[in-house]
Amino acid sequence: QVKMMESGGGSVQAGGSLRLSCAVIGYTSEDYCMAWFREAPGKEREGVASIDSDERTEYGDFVQGRFTVSQDKVKNTLYLQMNNLRPEDTAMYYCAFRSAPAWVRRQNRCLTMGGFNIRGQGTQVTVSS
């Protein structure tokens, strides 16, 4: 059973930075997608960034070069470095995991393929103006 646990959220002023971490425990799949999503009150869930087992990354359009997703396969940890944060980035951020064979990933983008059946509890990010 895969478990995920986020950390690193907090409150910052606009223009500041945060680094989110997600400890991934128990996965054995060599073919996967991992992603960061965010949810804010009154808004639909948004895909922030994803990375797959081949290190391919994707970002939501709103990221505009401000965030970087990465993974440490030795530490089994997923990261999201967020720079130049804006008040509209305020949300609960959570990491998610799904197995994804290579042929699926060739035909679909991780960030939009859905089926992320494992997720963490989330970490709150609040950006003040």
Side-chain angles (χ1 to χ4, degrees), residues 54-74:
D54 292 322
E55 302 287 346
R56 288 176 295 199
T57 59
E58 301 170 74
Y59 296 91
D61 292 340
F62 60 87
V63 170
Q64 298 177 339
R66 300 178 296 131
F67 300 172
T68 302
V69 63
S70 61
Q71 63 181 330
D72 185 326
K73 293 185 177 182
V74 174

Side-chain angles (χ1 to χ4, degrees), residues 28-42:
T28 57
S29 173
E30 294 182 351
D31 296 290
Y32 58 81
C33 291
M34 290 197 289
W36 290 96
F37 294 92
R38 69 184 189 184
E39 294 178 343

Side-chain angles (χ1 to χ4, degrees), residues 25 32 44-46 51-53 55 57 61-62 64 67 70 78 88-89 96 99 103 111 116 119 121 124 128-129:
I25 303 168
Y32 58 81
E44 293 187 358
R45 186 188 74 170
E46 292 182 297
I51 188 167
D52 71 7
S53 42
E55 302 287 346
T57 59
D61 292 340
F62 60 87
Q64 298 177 339
F67 300 172
S70 61
L78 176 70
E88 54 264 39
D89 293 318
S99 296
W103 69 268
L111 204 55
F116 285 87
R119 56 168 283 180
Q121 294 297 310
Q124 179 68 36
S128 58
S129 56

